[in-house]
Amino acid sequence: MGYAEVYAGWKADPEGFWLEAAKGIDWVEPPTKALNDSNAPLYEWFTDTKVNTCWNAVDRHVESGNGSRAAIIYDSPVTNQKRTITYAELQEKVASLAGGLAAKGVTKGDRVVIYMSMVPEALISMLACARLGAIHSVVFGGFASNELAVRIDDAAPKAIIATSCGIEPGRIVEYKPLLDEAINLSTRKPEFCVILQREQAPADLIEGRDCEWNAFQEGIAPAECVPVEGSHPAYILYTSGTTGQPKGVVRPTAGHLVVLNWTMKSIYGVEPGDVYWAASDVGWVVGHSYICYAPLIHGNTTIVFEGKPVGTPDAGTFWRVIDEHKVKVLFTAPTAFRAIKRQDPQAEFVGKYDISTLQTLFLAGERADPDTIEWAERVLGVPVIDHWWQTETGWSIAANPVGIEQLPVKIGSPSVAMPGWNMQILDEGGHPLPAGELGAIVAKLPLPPGTLPTLWNAEDRFKKSYLSQFPGYYETGDAGYMDEDGYLYIMARTDDVINVAGHRLSTGGMEEVLAAHPDVAECAVIGVTDELKGQLPLGFLCTNAGTTKSSEDIVKECVQLVRDKIGPVAAFKLAVVVDRLPKTRSGKILRGTMVKIADGEAYKMPATIDDPAILDEISEALQSLGYAGSA
Ligand code: COA
Ligand code: AMP
């Protein structure tokens, strides 16, 4: 069956389609029904089931005789370590950690925050939570104390599992002091912490609160898998919205299992036993779905890579990993390839390795620019497949499903809607737009299994953010168009979210931090185009009258403030002091116009602008930073 038939089959009988896909999962109580629409427009899937995620990701493979198969290959060029963990070993490690957590009182429904670097223990922690029905919330290591504290307060975890440090090229980032500070700042203190000591920077433990990873598990009986209802949250993953308060995306257990298992064959084209590598971080949704859960649920070998595409030690690292571990599918963000291309434009490193096992490269996380796709295709000699999704969805909205049928690639498009997704392009009034016209990209409800049913502790925000603008549809927050063949083109966000090196960040959140600086009266943060990272945040600061500090000092302090409050991942390094910000007569800051000026694009003078002369001042300020066509 080709894509068109599979898609039409889903459309004709969504219930039958997902019940069929559900056969790939081991159930304690199998589904008799797929969709539960009793609470529309909030939908749930497989609510009449009982199931355990860890059983499906680990135990069942041991049970079926594949215990000696590699589950995780850890490859860490930053520590010069490599380690393989078989499914049988993984089962032992996960059951042991889960036993420790259970002995300390963690049970089904309790939250556990995980703040770890890219080590196999991060996956073991996630799976141990899943084994108990505890709800994990992984926080990316590049976030600082304040961001971690906000997430702790929202999730109210019983426990936190952390590594003592993370390793970035050229520096060791001590996580433990950041964790201690976050717990200090938070109002919902965890009962205990489990700390994995890394030899690069072991941490001081706080007696009575912190337990050392190994000692914590010693002499304790391993835990069995706890069956949970299909709609039980598997995890919460916080992602950036328009404000500094992140959105806690909830992932439902059963839909997550069914759909991820389905994608491995249908979208990525891999068979159980194949080596699958998502070069991302467990702190992001790509890491949740495609470093941890999907490959393990499907019985693949997943790679946990602790390094960067360049500089660890060179631009050939990716090819070495593919060669050494016989990687069949690589999934990463376009920015990683831009980084490699910049250092090794002739791809000389490729020739040093045997990458013949590589079948397909998948890109996601940000818009894939044609140059990067063409370069990757040329140097790797394999299909390069762009696919589009979000933290909220957990899997592809649009892709080229090579496991079903490889459709013609149209560069600049992540291809077509996957089964489960009925995509439309609407104008501001909610009317469908014809092919080729730019509008809001929306999905007709219900969303397919695995997608968010709601936001943690914030059902009203869920409805307001995603369901209210276009009743009957889920608003993706992306703008774009669809061509006559149903190929989608994702052009821009419709909100204040920017995408820096495939990382989703809130300019609103950065503005909140800047506004708290005592010398800043008003500010605006925009995303400017960057050749390597796609976008970079850039701040405009209006200072208080009478400040005695120099603009230079204020900028320096503001850059440090964002680094301290949000974290290095914000990559906030550009800011400039201006007298005033361009606004409409009603006081709305004209961020869109500022972006166009910064990127050197033509713009229309907004009819409602308060004082057009301000735009010249903005242009001058941007030129001082090397933007607005100054080059
Ligand atoms: N813990 C602590 N700090 C971290 C971190 C972590 N886990 N991850 C990143 N940081 C820090 C970095 O050290 C850097 O700090 P600096 O300002 O002192 O240099 C900052 O956060 C920005 O990190 P990053 O965005 O990774 O930029 P980079 O310049 O170090 O590397 C790329 C650029 C393109 C090589 C890198 O972003 C990359 O490989 N991205 C693609 C893959 C990816 O992870 N995509 C995510 C979604 S699929
Ligand atoms: P995140 O939730 O961090 O995965 O970010 C999701 C957002 O990243 C989407 O809403 C898009 O704006 C952007 N994005 C992800 N994948 C793509 C893609 N393939 N093409 C264009 N934009 C993408």
Side-chain angles (χ1 to χ4, degrees):
M1 250 200 293
Y3 160 77
E5 277 168 285
V6 172
Y7 189 81
W10 158 74
K11 213 164 180 184
D13 179 15
E15 186 75 10
F17 182 90
W18 293 119
L19 284 174
E20 181 61 32
K23 291 183 182 156
I25 293 306
D26 277 14
W27 303 93
V28 178
E29 288 176 22
T32 59
K33 209 172 165 317
L35 181 67
N36 180 343
D37 58 3
S38 59
N39 195 24
L42 305 184
Y43 296 90
E44 292 188 295
W45 292 90
F46 305 112
T47 47
D48 67 351
T49 60
K50 285 264 169 66
V51 67
N52 181 276
T53 297
C54 184
W55 173 271
N56 277 282
V58 183
D59 300 59
R60 69 162 167 168
H61 304 305
V62 180
E63 195 93 338
S64 62
N66 291 311
S68 59
R69 179 185 292 169
I72 298 174
I73 296 175
Y74 170 55
D75 188 304
S76 169
V78 291
T79 62
N80 282 321
Q81 280 184 63
K82 285 174 211 165
R83 187 149 58 105
T84 298
I85 299 173
T86 65
Y87 273 97
E89 288 163 347
L90 184 61
Q91 183 186 34
E92 218 180 281
K93 289 176 191 295
V94 170
S96 169
L97 179 65
L101 291 170
K104 290 278 261 177
V106 173
T107 57
K108 181 185 159 206
D110 285 338
R111 273 81 58 210
V112 176
V113 162
I114 298 174
Y115 185 59
M116 297 179 93
S117 39
M118 278 294 287
V119 288
E121 286 80 0
L123 278 65
I124 291 168
S125 301
M126 294 161 82
L127 293 162
C129 290
R131 196 167 186 88
L132 299 174
I135 303 165
H136 64 67
S137 186
V138 182
V139 179
F140 177 60
F143 283 123
S145 302
N146 208 56
E147 287 292 309
L148 180 55
V150 169
R151 288 156 173 78
I152 292 173
D153 276 344
D154 197 63
K158 186 171 258 181
I160 300 183
I161 309 178
T163 43
S164 60
C165 68
I167 294 131
E168 284 295 290
R171 79 191 158 107
I172 290 168
V173 184
E174 294 194 30
Y175 283 10
K176 183 59 176 18
L178 296 171
L179 172 64
D180 290 341
E181 175 61 10
I183 295 175
N184 260 342
L185 290 170
S186 67
T187 51
R188 313 291 296 263
K189 318 274 186 218
E191 287 176 20
F192 68 98
C193 298
V194 182
I195 308 295
L196 176 76
Q197 297 283 25
R198 301 197 69 187
E199 64 182 31
Q200 293 77 9
D204 293 334
L205 302 187
I206 295 177
E207 223 184 293
R209 190 198 72 186
D210 298 341
C211 319
E212 189 275 322
W213 175 276
N214 291 311
F216 171 75
Q217 304 174 39
E218 246 163 46
I220 292 188
E224 291 303 320
C225 294
V226 176
V228 302
E229 302 75 34
S231 57
H232 182 71
Y235 67 78
I236 306 164
L237 178 57
Y238 289 91
T239 189
S240 300
T242 46
T243 67
Q245 178 66 31
K247 296 168 165 173
V249 168
V250 172
R251 187 78 55 220
T253 298
H256 183 231
L257 282 165
V258 170
V259 94
L260 288 189
N261 188 57
W262 180 85
T263 61
M264 288 303 282
K265 172 80 181 93
S266 303
I267 297 183
Y268 299 99
V270 290
E271 301 294 341
D274 287 341
V275 182
Y276 181 96
W277 178 24
S280 178
D281 188 286
V282 284
W284 308 115
V285 70
V286 173
H288 280 63
S289 294
Y290 291 106
I291 295 175
C292 184
Y293 288 113
L296 295 178
I297 293 164
H298 195 248
N300 290 94
T301 299
T302 185
I303 299 216
V304 172
F305 173 72
E306 188 179 32
K308 303 255 175 181
V310 292
T312 60
D314 54 40
T317 305
F318 272 26
W319 325 137
R320 175 192 62 77
V321 172
I322 293 169
D323 180 353
E324 247 175 69
H325 307 304
K326 312 270 171 282
V327 172
K328 190 163 173 188
V329 163
L330 170 62
F331 174 174
T332 192
T335 189
F337 268 76
R338 289 198 294 270
I340 296 170
K341 182 173 90 174
R342 189 145 97 168
Q343 291 219 344
D344 182 20
Q346 302 309 321
E348 283 165 14
F349 276 107
V350 177
K352 298 189 171 124
Y353 299 96
D354 173 6
I355 58 162
S356 58
T357 54
L358 188 70
Q359 190 173 282
T360 323
L361 168 67
F362 284 85
L363 298 175
E366 56 170 334
R367 189 175 156 72
D369 53 291
D371 270 5
T372 303
I373 296 184
E374 281 160 6
W375 185 83
E377 257 173 7
R378 202 172 56 246
V379 307
L380 299 180
V382 299
V384 177
I385 305 293
D386 182 15
H387 59 329
W388 168 58
W389 48 297
Q390 316 178 303
T391 305
E392 288 85 343
T393 67
W395 65 288
S396 311
I397 308 169
N400 194 330
V402 301
I404 296 173
E405 171 192 11
Q406 194 188 313
L407 302 170
V409 169
K410 295 196 190 185
I411 288 188
S413 165
S415 302
V416 294
M418 289 298 88
W421 296 98
N422 178 346
M423 304 310 294
Q424 314 267 327
I425 313 292
L426 303 181
D427 70 12
E428 278 177 13
H431 308 108
L433 287 165
E437 279 193 34
L438 192 76
I441 314 181
V442 300
K444 196 162 189 319
L445 295 174
L447 296 187
T451 57
L452 82 172
T454 188
L455 291 175
W456 185 254
N457 285 339
E459 190 165 299
D460 284 347
R461 187 175 183 196
F462 171 69
K463 289 181 180 158
K464 201 160 159 252
S465 306
Y466 303 105
L467 308 182
S468 66
Q469 177 75 13
F470 304 108
Y473 296 93
Y474 164 84
E475 191 184 357
T476 62
D478 283 314
Y481 62 94
M482 197 187 285
D483 73 9
E484 256 117 28
D485 302 323
Y487 279 61
L488 283 156
Y489 292 77
I490 318 302
M491 305 310 288
R493 289 287 303 186
T494 56
D495 54 16
D496 296 329
V497 165
I498 57 170
N499 199 315
V500 180
H503 307 142
R504 176 167 158 183
L505 298 165
S506 162
T507 54
M510 293 185 217
E511 288 175 5
E512 284 174 29
V513 172
L514 296 173
H517 186 286
D519 292 305
V520 172
E522 205 182 13
C523 63
V525 175
I526 59 168
V528 294
T529 300
D530 180 74
E531 230 178 74
L532 175 65
K533 296 196 174 185
Q535 281 183 302
L536 278 181
L538 186 153
F540 296 91
L541 312 166
C542 300
T543 55
N544 287 317
T547 175
T548 50
K549 274 192 205 140
S550 69
S551 298
E552 226 178 22
D553 282 348
I554 294 174
V555 164
K556 241 192 232 155
E557 287 174 17
C558 282
V559 165
Q560 192 60 40
L561 197 62
V562 174
R563 195 175 170 92
D564 291 345
K565 293 274 178 202
I566 297 180
V569 65
F572 182 81
K573 291 179 179 166
L574 297 166
V576 64
V577 171
V578 292
D579 288 337
R580 16 183 220 163
L581 296 171
K583 292 183 185 171
T584 61
R585 281 190 280 278
S586 60
K588 202 170 166 292
I589 298 173
L590 290 160
R591 292 183 181 76
T593 310
M594 293 198 281
V595 172
K596 287 215 160 77
I597 296 175
D599 291 347
E601 280 178 29
Y603 64 92
K604 259 204 233 136
M605 180 64 68
T608 54
I609 191 164
D610 188 31
D611 177 1
I614 305 181
L615 294 184
D616 294 332
E617 294 168 27
I618 292 295
S619 179
E620 246 171 64
L622 283 165
Q623 283 177 14
S624 73
L625 292 176
Y627 288 86
S630 64

